[in-house]
Amino acid sequence: MKRTIATLLSLLFGLLILLNFGACTKEEAFLEEGFELEFSMDTVAFDTVFTTMGTTTQMVKVYNRNDKSVKLQRVTLQNGRSSYFRLNVDGDTSMVVRNFEIAAHDSAFIFIQAYINPNSATSPFLIEDAILFSTTQEDHRLPLTAYGRNAVYHKPDHLLRDQDGNAYPYSVIDCANWNHSLPHIILGYAVIDSAFTLNLIAGDELYFDNNAYLWIYKDGSLHVNGTADQPVLFTSLRHDGWYDYLPGQWGYIWISDGSKDNVIDWAVIENGYAGLFVNTMQYPGLVISNTIVRNHSLAGILGQGSSIIGDNLLVETCGSVLLALQYGGRYQFSNSTFANYYNYDRRTSPSVVLSNGYEGGDQPQLFNLDQADFRNCIIYGNYSGKDNEGEILFVQYPGATFSPTFDHCLLRSTTAAPYCTDCLFDQEPKFENYEEGDYHPKAESPVVRAGSQAFITRHHDLSNNPRTNPPSIGAYEMAPEEESKTARAHRR
């Protein structure tokens, strides 16, 4: 009996050894050659990488579709330590990851960044490399590409504190020696100092980091002279993926009290907290024409007790208002389109706000709104506020001048009629495709040839196409059939 039990125990022990051996053998049965890997993308491509600045991180998945686990001898970059790219392979940031395993019907994550050193190039240059997934017999190759760009950096080297103790890190722009051959990266506040003028020309590009601003200081001036084919660009630093149209990535252009003779012609101002903040008392504080202001988280143009003359403008897609003319002032806008279809969040304000005061202390603070003229303009959008009041808000206090006028305009408004001459109300403007940034009117749009020739000072629209006679209301005439919807430099 004892011998039988001993024999049985011996057999069970032997069986357990076999089972454990079999399990170990199964775990270690890797494919090490002759298999295929799949990737979630054919090439990992970065759009523009400014030298000395890293990119955002891109992620690619590596799939093992085989019925067995695979083991790679190493995962590394083709250019090794001289590569401009950096890898994170499932949490491993080594330059060479060895004996990397992917289970059957499983995947691994690879995270990639690009860092490029400065060189002498003035044009974008292509950087190429590849991730190598090496077996005993071959390399599986995933290409990496990036366009590098050298740039001029404006880094804060001064600190200003206001009376409340708030700190403003800033640099002073060397206006006389501005480099027009390279893009400029703005960090903190970049200041146009007193008695200096910054002249920007066709093709100039300014990229703003988070919390960066262009500040035109007292007695300073900004002159922007772009062209239809090469507008001057004021935009966010990051443009990879969804950042290309993301609002709120930088501050704004601040035309502060006392600055003078500011002119912007042919520009694109996009992706900030606000496009332009104008509070200089000089007349005019800003003359702006042939310009697109878009994708700002708060406002397109803020005027506070100032004066602005605008013509051939498109102001679109802002989180609160497209245009706020507050605390009085003098303003005139002609042949412009104010269109707000902001969809990042729910808007809580109409697109255009006009006021001659605000509530403060025991009684309202009053300011004369001596002039707020809109001529041949579209004001339209998808605001669904209380009482469906439309896209214009009038804030009028007795005791101060309040003088808005609308002449030959198309308005989404229930309250603007007393200030209007020959206006169209609550009619869909029928843009070609506002979701793609195309605000040309379709042939059946009510704005076509509905404007007044008396307000035309330029014989072209914002696409540089000829104005008809009579002109269409807004910044654009109908697009000619032969015009490409993507060819314009200032179009999306």
Side-chain angles (χ1 to χ4, degrees):
M1 183 70 175
K2 290 182 180 179
R3 185 175 180 180
T4 302
I5 294 173
T7 302
L8 182 58
L9 289 173
S10 177
L11 289 171
L12 288 172
F13 182 70
L15 181 60
L16 287 172
I17 292 174
L18 287 172
L19 289 172
N20 286 334
F21 179 78
C24 292
T25 302
K26 185 176 182 181
E27 283 184 10
E28 295 173 1
F30 293 103
L31 294 175
E32 298 192 43
E33 57 186 48
F35 58 83
E36 294 295 327
L37 294 175
E38 294 183 17
F39 306 108
S40 57
M41 59 184 73
D42 295 330
T43 300
V44 180
F46 294 88
D47 184 14
T48 299
V49 184
F50 290 107
T51 55
T52 75
M53 300 193 74
T55 64
T56 54
T57 301
Q58 291 213 41
M59 183 271 288
V60 63
K61 293 184 73 173
V62 186
Y63 297 98
N64 173 20
R65 306 293 193 190
N66 299 281
D67 293 330
K68 293 184 179 181
S69 299
V70 300
K71 179 182 284 186
L72 298 158
Q73 283 192 326
R74 65 183 182 276
V75 180
T76 188
L77 290 162
Q78 178 176 289
N79 293 337
R81 293 188 180 278
S82 63
S83 177
Y84 291 109
F85 297 92
R86 295 292 179 267
L87 299 182
N88 180 322
V89 182
D90 258 1
D92 193 330
T93 58
S94 305
M95 290 297 296
V96 181
V97 178
R98 300 187 185 278
N99 298 319
F100 186 66
E101 303 170 6
I102 307 177
H105 301 288
D106 203 351
S107 60
F109 292 90
I110 312 291
F111 301 93
I112 308 104
Q113 288 183 309
Y115 296 87
I116 299 178
N117 295 325
N119 58 29
S120 60
T122 57
S123 298
F125 49 93
L126 179 64
I127 300 297
E128 296 181 289
D129 202 344
I131 306 174
L132 301 181
F133 301 84
S134 301
T135 70
T136 56
Q137 292 185 341
E138 62 180 336
D139 290 332
H140 300 264
R141 188 174 182 276
L142 178 63
L144 307 175
T145 64
Y147 281 93
R149 295 193 73 181
N150 290 296
V152 177
Y153 288 85
H154 298 264
K155 299 179 180 180
D157 52 7
H158 298 75
L159 190 65
L160 173 67
R161 292 189 182 276
D162 63 17
Q163 60 185 6
D164 297 320
N166 299 311
Y168 300 90
Y170 71 96
S171 60
V172 177
I173 296 173
D174 183 358
C175 296
N177 295 298
W178 184 271
N179 187 334
H180 298 285
S181 62
L182 291 174
H184 288 247
I185 309 297
I186 308 298
L187 308 170
Y189 287 79
V191 178
I192 302 173
D193 211 350
S194 296
F196 287 91
T197 298
L198 177 60
N199 291 289
L200 301 177
I201 62 175
D204 277 344
E205 297 173 283
L206 287 76
Y207 292 85
F208 292 79
D209 195 13
N210 187 33
N211 295 321
Y213 303 79
L214 180 62
W215 183 1
I216 301 90
Y217 194 60
K218 180 181 179 181
D219 293 325
S221 301
L222 173 66
H223 288 180
V224 175
N225 294 290
T227 64
D229 293 327
Q230 288 189 297
V232 175
L233 180 63
F234 302 85
T235 190
S236 51
L237 183 57
R238 298 174 66 174
H239 276 264
D240 44 306
W242 65 302
Y243 287 98
D244 204 19
Y245 303 118
L246 182 67
Q249 296 185 65
W250 58 284
Y252 44 78
I253 300 171
W254 182 11
I255 300 176
S256 65
D257 190 19
S259 67
K260 59 185 181 181
D261 190 28
N262 297 288
V263 178
I264 298 176
D265 189 40
W266 292 110
V268 173
I269 306 168
E270 63 183 11
N271 299 357
Y273 178 67
L276 290 155
F277 175 33
V278 186
N279 68 335
T280 178
M281 300 286 290
Q282 299 286 332
Y283 182 82
L286 171 66
V287 176
I288 180 171
S289 55
N290 305 311
T291 291
I292 296 174
V293 182
R294 66 187 177 198
N295 293 347
H296 298 283
S297 58
L298 176 68
I301 301 174
L302 290 170
Q304 292 191 349
S306 186
S307 61
I308 303 172
I309 297 175
D311 190 20
N312 267 12
L313 307 180
L314 170 63
V315 186
E316 57 120 337
T317 313
C318 295
S320 184
V321 297
L322 300 175
L323 177 69
L325 307 180
Q326 302 171 305
Y327 315 151
R330 299 176 61 186
Y331 306 94
Q332 176 183 292
F333 294 94
S334 305
N335 311 299
S336 296
T337 297
F338 301 89
N340 205 354
Y341 297 91
Y342 189 84
N343 60 6
Y344 289 93
D345 200 355
R346 182 177 178 272
R347 279 198 292 135
T348 59
S349 170
S351 289
V352 174
V353 177
L354 310 178
S355 76
N356 66 345
Y358 67 92
E359 296 293 335
D362 296 332
Q363 57 187 2
Q365 303 299 303
L366 303 180
F367 305 88
N368 289 328
L369 184 64
D370 293 316
Q371 179 184 9
D373 295 340
F374 295 83
R375 311 178 309 181
N376 287 356
C377 290
I378 298 172
I379 300 175
Y380 209 84
N382 60 358
Y383 178 60
S384 56
K386 62 180 182 179
D387 303 325
N388 195 31
E389 73 262 43
E391 291 288 359
I392 306 175
L393 174 63
F394 300 99
V395 182
Q396 180 180 5
Y397 290 91
T401 304
F402 188 76
S403 302
T405 66
F406 301 86
D407 201 330
H408 286 79
C409 294
L410 184 149
L411 308 174
R412 183 166 179 256
S413 173
T414 60
T415 56
Y419 308 106
C420 287
T421 301
D422 293 327
C423 289
L424 304 175
F425 293 96
D426 300 319
Q427 297 186 42
E428 169 64 48
K430 297 182 180 179
F431 299 120
E432 281 285 353
N433 191 341
Y434 66 81
E435 291 180 341
E436 296 296 325
D438 188 347
Y439 290 90
H440 290 85
K442 295 180 179 179
E444 64 271 23
S445 170
V447 306
V448 173
R449 292 181 175 270
S452 170
Q453 188 67 26
F455 304 136
I456 297 298
T457 58
R458 292 170 172 81
H459 299 292
H460 60 79
D461 70 359
L462 189 50
S463 282
N464 210 28
N465 291 319
R467 283 287 186 183
T468 58
N469 188 0
S472 297
I473 298 172
Y476 298 100
E477 297 291 338
M478 285 192 304
E481 292 183 3
E482 67 273 14
E483 182 185 4
S484 167
K485 294 293 190 295
T486 59
R488 306 303 303 165
H490 63 277
R491 200 97 58 81
R492 287 182 188 170

